[in-house]
Amino acid sequence: MTLSKYDHGFWYYIGTNSESFMQNKFFSYEMAFGGAGFAISYPLAKVLAKVFDSCIERYPHLYGSDGRIHACLSELGVGLTREPGFHQMDFHKNVFGMLAAHPIWPLVSMHHMEEIDPIFPNMTTVKALEHLYNAASFDPHRILQQTVCYDSWFSWTVSVSWGYAVQVFDKHVLLPNVQRVQESYAPWKSSHLGGLYDFDTKKYEPDPCRRQLVFFLDKVSSGINGTETIYKKKTFEKCKFDRSSPRRFEKIRVLSNKLVLDKQQLLAPRRHCCDALPSTLSNVMEITIRECKEDELIHMQH
């Protein structure tokens, strides 16, 4: 799917860096990290195979095979084509912040799953991944895609990371700030540079009663009206709230049509829009995801 947008007749070296500034600085910003995986087009792989043995003799000092392949491709004059769907995931513990603010490119890979907490609460690592893959089987192009909409009546901000989680902020948050990755995780290396990352981040609120409300994927189904995903609260903090607080909701129902991206949309993706519907039940929020209109802006309507 992701690679279909590239012309397989050309020389391509496709992958991604680490999320960690320190890892990139130590290894290389121009290297595709092997944990995330990378792709080499067939004609380039044929040429690389011819020269690889002689090339790697010059690089015994490099840490891994990804470094040696990068060095050899550099000698062939080929640079890295970055694809944001590959994820090295040089983190520890809770990676919620990264998954909830995924780029608008399709998910390709995730690494270091043994080093992080299960991506869904109250599950093992394997069960949590099976849960995500089940959602992906219904709509692989849409998995983890972030859609943001606003409830102007209550001034709430709603962020849907499809197939994973829905966040409801009880205040108006501008879209660029919703897109920043929350630093819910621990750094890969503990040093003064360990907490520096090569993407936009923001602090993760430590107090769960001051944090946005999070609903995690519960189940997925499809029918004549499209795909329905249900998200439920998986943690239950004893926080005080009134009727104007989104904490009254027990679950969120999201409706969407299957996302099928053609080559042009893969090359130049655009975020989808969503609408917070008047709820038929007092404890359920309903959201629909749709394509944005040509000149539509994603912001709070007044």
Side-chain angles (χ1 to χ4, degrees):
M1 173 181 66
T2 295
L3 299 181
S4 66
K5 65 187 177 186
Y6 297 102
D7 188 328
H8 61 82
F10 290 101
W11 287 16
Y12 274 114
Y13 169 45
I14 302 166
T16 192
N17 303 125
S18 172
E19 300 81 4
S20 165
F21 166 80
M22 190 169 72
Q23 291 287 93
N24 290 329
K25 195 72 175 173
F26 182 80
F27 292 104
S28 173
Y29 271 93
E30 295 303 315
M31 182 187 85
F33 276 61
F38 52 86
I40 298 173
S41 61
Y42 179 70
L44 177 56
K46 281 178 64 178
V47 175
L48 178 63
K50 292 179 182 178
V51 302
F52 194 56
D53 286 346
S54 65
C55 174
I56 61 173
E57 291 178 0
R58 288 184 287 281
Y59 299 101
H61 59 284
L62 294 181
Y63 175 75
S65 58
D66 51 3
R68 296 185 179 99
I69 288 172
H70 162 241
C72 294
L73 291 175
S74 296
E75 290 193 359
L76 284 170
V78 179
L80 175 63
T81 297
R82 289 175 176 79
E83 185 60 52
F86 290 84
H87 296 288
Q88 176 70 12
M89 294 179 69
D90 282 339
F91 305 111
H92 291 292
K93 299 185 178 179
N94 179 13
V95 296
F96 166 81
M98 194 207 77
L99 298 182
H102 192 274
I104 57 170
W105 281 266
L107 173 68
V108 178
S109 69
M110 295 191 294
H111 184 42
H112 284 147
M113 303 309 294
E114 78 285 356
E115 297 290 343
I116 63 174
D117 297 341
I119 59 175
F120 289 100
N122 309 318
M123 290 186 184
T124 64
T125 295
V126 172
K127 287 294 183 183
L129 286 173
E130 289 176 348
H131 195 47
L132 186 73
Y133 289 156
N134 178 58
S137 70
F138 283 83
D139 198 340
H141 288 204
R142 196 182 291 280
I143 194 70
L144 292 185
Q145 293 302 287
Q146 186 186 25
T147 308
V148 178
C149 48
Y150 296 92
D151 184 314
S152 57
W153 183 264
F154 291 106
S155 292
W156 295 337
T157 303
V158 182
S159 172
V160 180
S161 300
W162 193 90
Y164 176 59
V166 177
Q167 304 172 79
V168 185
F169 300 81
D170 61 359
K171 57 187 176 182
H172 177 206
V173 184
L174 293 168
L175 180 63
N177 291 327
V178 182
Q179 292 174 248
R180 290 178 177 270
V181 174
Q182 299 168 71
E183 295 183 10
S184 58
Y185 39 77
W188 185 248
K189 300 287 186 181
S190 55
S191 76
H192 68 290
L193 296 177
L196 297 179
Y197 302 96
D198 281 313
F199 48 78
D200 292 333
T201 67
K202 62 182 178 183
K203 295 300 180 184
Y204 189 58
E205 172 57 58
D207 182 352
C209 291
R210 298 178 62 185
R211 196 183 301 155
Q212 75 277 14
L213 195 58
V214 179
F215 300 77
F216 286 96
L217 178 71
D218 184 59
K219 59 183 178 179
V220 189
S221 60
S222 62
I224 58 173
N225 294 322
T227 306
E228 178 183 275
T229 44
I230 302 295
Y231 304 80
K232 292 184 177 180
K233 285 185 284 190
K234 301 296 183 181
T235 57
F236 299 93
E237 299 84 10
K238 294 181 179 179
C239 306
K240 295 181 179 179
F241 63 91
D242 56 30
R243 295 298 296 173
S244 66
S245 168
R247 292 189 178 277
R248 72 172 188 266
F249 294 120
E250 295 179 4
K251 66 180 181 180
I252 296 180
R253 178 173 175 257
V254 177
L255 292 173
S256 60
N257 292 318
K258 187 172 182 179
L259 182 62
V260 180
L261 301 171
D262 59 26
K263 182 177 179 179
Q264 285 69 32
Q265 290 169 317
L266 286 167
L267 284 167
R270 185 187 181 193
R271 193 178 305 279
H272 273 198
C273 289
C274 63
D275 300 302
L277 303 179
S279 297
T280 55
L281 298 171
S282 61
N283 62 349
V284 179
M285 176 183 280
E286 296 185 335
I287 304 290
T288 59
I289 298 176
R290 56 176 174 77
E291 287 189 38
C292 298
K293 299 170 187 174
E294 183 179 6
D295 60 350
E296 184 171 0
L297 300 173
I298 302 173
H299 71 111
M300 180 73 77
Q301 303 286 339
H302 296 289

